[in-house]
Amino acid sequence: MKQPKILFLVVIALLPLTLISCAPWGTQTAGGWAGTAFHDGIIYAGTRDGRVVAINSSTENLEWSYSTAPVTAPSGGLSCGQTSITTAIYGTPVVDRDIVYIGTYSGQVLALNMLARSQNLTFPQRGYGEWEWDCPIDNAKSNAIVADLLVSDDTIYVNSSNGRVYSLDREFGDLNWESKVLDEKHRKLWTSPVIQGNTLYVSTYDGHIYALSSETGELLDWSFELESGFVSSPVIYEDTIFLGSFDRYLYAVKMGSNVPMWKFPQEEPADNWFWASPIANEDIVYAGCLDGKVYAIEAKTGGKLWEFDAGNPIVSSPVFMDNLLIVTDESGTVYVFALSAEFGDEAVPLEIIPIGADVRSSFCAQEGLVYIRGEDNWIYVVDIDMGGVRWKVNLTIDGEGSV
Amino acid sequence: MSPGDIWYLIIGNPVLNVLIALSHILGGSFGLAIIVLTVIIRLVSWPLTKRQLHSTKALQDMQPKIQELQKKYGKNQQKLQQEMMKLYKEAGVNPLGCLWPMLIQLPIWIALYQAIMRALATTPENLLGLASRLYSWGIVNQAIPLNSKFLWLDLGQPDPYWILAIIVGGTMWVQQKMTQAPTVDPRQESTQRMMTLMMPLMFGFLTLLFPSGLALYWAVSNIIGIITQYFVTGGWGYFQFRSPFRAKQ
């Protein structure tokens, strides 16, 4: 009787282990949180199944959809056979004239022509200015593109998970240059670059802000170093870089300086990371924090003007629309603040609009409407004047309410 | 509070945060942090291990009496087993006791697996999810994100060279050989022999499936087990023991 008992115990002990090795329990697979872009009456977004979609905001119909190719790759050890690299999209599409640029988690940068896509022609149609660029893995773990692309003049700048920055020709997708590996320790650039003049600024998880020549990709003399890594993408306002760190402070770094101009909060750190990039206007920096608070901070001194406790993490960067500040928390509640309002310590929103879905993506706002992609793979169009969701569309193929 | 929340509050988050804090203290080496955490876990579970080792030692000391019983009741298996159980009971020894430490370790393995995958933040979602699981300790926040490289290993991935699988399997086999008390029943003896082989093979195989950070824990845990076994029971135990049934065959 004892033999089956022993075997039973062993099987019971090992079964959960075998199961968790093949299931993502306790971890999350890459699903993507592509944001929305609005251009000329069309909403552009990445979906959770790796498609780029264009939706006409007047007719609420799908103009076109393009599915980024699925990729499979062998995994390390035996694992569970081949690992499918999802075609998740994290970056927000960048629209310039008739081309939509997007980076994918499978390491591609795509230039999609609106006309060619609406005719569903084979990709890429070079005659239409379409191209595709594959980021090399370069002995790193991944070539995924997580950060937003930066389009400036004739160039596209790409931060890759292999730790390098790439400069591509905007018209043909040819490689102009690649930088050296900026973060040898993590080999992971998940934050977006920012440009001022001929200088590109890149923040890294090993706590550096690097300045690169936008012409050659070479490192310039100045760099800034912090003990903790930087969690958010840098933002430039006048001659200062603002960004959040894993040490739960928001930093203001004057270009060329080796010491921070200020850090916020000035004493004890915040209760979580400043994950989203802050935005700045008229000498005020607005920063959302994963501790659920939105802070208005004096850009010059780092002094707090006001705060607002949303109660849920702020994952997406706030946006400006006319004289309004729009903030969305992770639970999908949209808060609208008047920029001109005088608050005491606590700000009071003009409007609070729940959309009923979690939000992690960046969003855009224009002419009284806010375009948000929820984690449920729907696009919500929030009407600020109406104080509610004007219309919504399901991005899941054949889902209820899909386009 | 859901069962998942309770799990993270009691086991998941403490393991994660201690691991990250250790990594910072040890110069940013996540591999060293896993090794030190293994030592800590072995120290905490020492009373249990000690009891198990003493059971093994007691079984070893009982061998002359067992052989006596074998001679006396060799032809009557039922009676032999009854007498054996009586003897075990008198000595306060449980022959299945060696399995309990493994079962108790199961939650630790799962917590470690989750901690490794979360701490190394292999996807952007994992990195964002990590934010809600970290304590406000400065030491923890300064360590993020972690470096997954240790020796030839990427701790978030299985070892592609199978070296760790051989080490895990090999050390487990040695440890089992040292602790498996001989039995008097030929059927039980054959099952035990199969188990001594099967367990290391299974764990060697699991090493090829799991992130090498978890396999590193198994390897270090086995090595500590062998060392403590050697010193507590005073030698290699049953490692060089030859089954009388095999000799007969």
Side-chain angles (χ1 to χ4, degrees), chain A residues 3 6 10 13-14 17 20 26-28 31-32 78-79 90 141 185-186 188 205 228 246 248 272-273 290, chain B residues 96 106 109 113 117-118 121 123 125-127 131 135 141-142 145 147-148 154 191 195 202-203 208-210:
Chain A
Q3 295 161 34
I6 295 170
V10 170
L14 296 179
L17 280 175
I20 60 170
T27 64
Q28 289 173 290
L78 284 182
S79 193
Y90 289 89
K141 256 198 301 190
K185 191 175 159 194
H186 304 99
K188 203 185 265 183
Y205 285 164
S228 299
F246 285 106
R248 303 186 173 195
N272 216 316
W273 304 334
L290 292 182
Chain B
L96 287 177
L106 193 63
W109 292 344
Y113 171 77
M117 296 312 284
R118 278 191 193 282
T123 64
E125 280 87 348
N126 281 342
L127 185 60
Y135 297 158
N141 288 287
Q142 278 175 6
N147 185 358
S148 63
D154 178 339
T191 309
M195 291 277 292
M202 273 200 80
F203 269 82
L208 302 176
L209 301 175
F210 280 93

Side-chain angles (χ1 to χ4, degrees), chain B residues 119-187:
Chain B
L120 293 178
T122 47
T123 64
E125 280 87 348
N126 281 342
L127 185 60
L128 181 58
L130 189 59
S132 62
R133 307 237 169 262
L134 296 182
Y135 297 158
S136 57
W137 306 343
I139 200 171
V140 167
N141 288 287
Q142 278 175 6
I144 297 292
L146 299 169
N147 185 358
S148 63
K149 285 178 198 151
F150 181 66
L151 302 174
W152 73 96
L153 302 165
D154 178 339
L155 296 167
Q157 300 286 327
D159 175 11
Y161 305 113
W162 297 29
I163 298 168
L164 208 51
I166 294 165
I167 295 172
V168 168
T171 51
M172 183 165 275
W173 181 76
V174 171
Q175 202 187 356
Q176 287 216 328
K177 282 286 284 177
M178 284 171 81
T179 53
Q180 288 289 11
T183 62
V184 286
D185 181 356
R187 267 175 59 216

Side-chain angles (χ1 to χ4, degrees), chain A residues 86-281:
Chain A
T86 55
T87 49
I89 302 170
Y90 289 89
T92 302
V94 182
V95 188
D96 187 56
R97 282 165 278 183
D98 53 352
I99 303 282
V100 180
Y101 301 95
I102 192 92
T104 70
Y105 198 67
S106 49
Q108 293 173 312
V109 177
L110 309 172
L112 306 164
N113 179 276
M114 297 170 187
L115 188 62
R117 288 312 100 219
S118 60
Q119 292 173 7
N120 205 16
L121 302 175
T122 318
F123 180 82
Q125 289 291 319
R126 302 208 182 272
Y128 285 80
E130 287 192 325
W131 51 261
E132 138 184 58
W133 177 77
D134 292 312
C135 182
I137 289 187
D138 190 27
N139 297 322
K141 256 198 301 190
S142 163
N143 60 348
I145 295 161
V146 174
D148 285 347
L149 303 176
L150 170 65
V151 179
S152 176
D153 298 329
D154 295 330
T155 311
I156 293 173
Y157 301 97
V158 186
N159 278 7
S160 165
S161 291
N162 71 14
R164 294 183 196 271
V165 183
Y166 293 88
S167 163
L168 307 177
D169 176 80
R170 198 180 67 172
E171 204 175 338
F172 302 107
D174 297 332
L175 180 69
N176 294 325
W177 53 255
E178 64 174 34
S179 74
K180 60 172 275 200
V181 174
L182 295 185
D183 185 351
E184 282 284 0
K185 191 175 159 194
H186 304 99
R187 291 211 69 171
K188 203 185 265 183
L189 287 181
W190 285 355
T191 54
S192 310
V194 64
I195 194 166
Q196 190 170 71
N198 293 325
T199 307
L200 205 63
Y201 296 91
V202 179
S203 62
T204 64
Y205 285 164
D206 69 356
H208 285 90
I209 304 171
Y210 289 106
L212 289 82
S213 160
S214 64
E215 300 292 323
T216 63
E218 281 175 12
L219 286 180
L220 301 178
D221 284 341
W222 178 78
S223 70
F224 177 84
E225 192 179 353
L226 193 71
E227 199 181 344
S228 299
F230 289 112
V231 64
S232 73
S233 303
V235 166
I236 297 176
Y237 179 70
E238 295 183 344
D239 57 351
T240 307
I241 301 168
F242 299 94
L243 72 178
S245 162
F246 285 106
D247 65 6
R248 303 186 173 195
Y249 286 101
L250 182 79
Y251 285 86
V253 179
K254 206 128 188 144
M255 290 166 188
S257 170
N258 291 320
V259 286
M261 192 165 88
W262 51 256
K263 66 176 183 180
F264 178 87
Q266 286 168 339
E267 288 163 9
E268 289 296 303
D271 288 336
N272 216 316
W273 304 334
F274 288 89
W275 172 273
S277 298
I279 55 171
N281 178 48

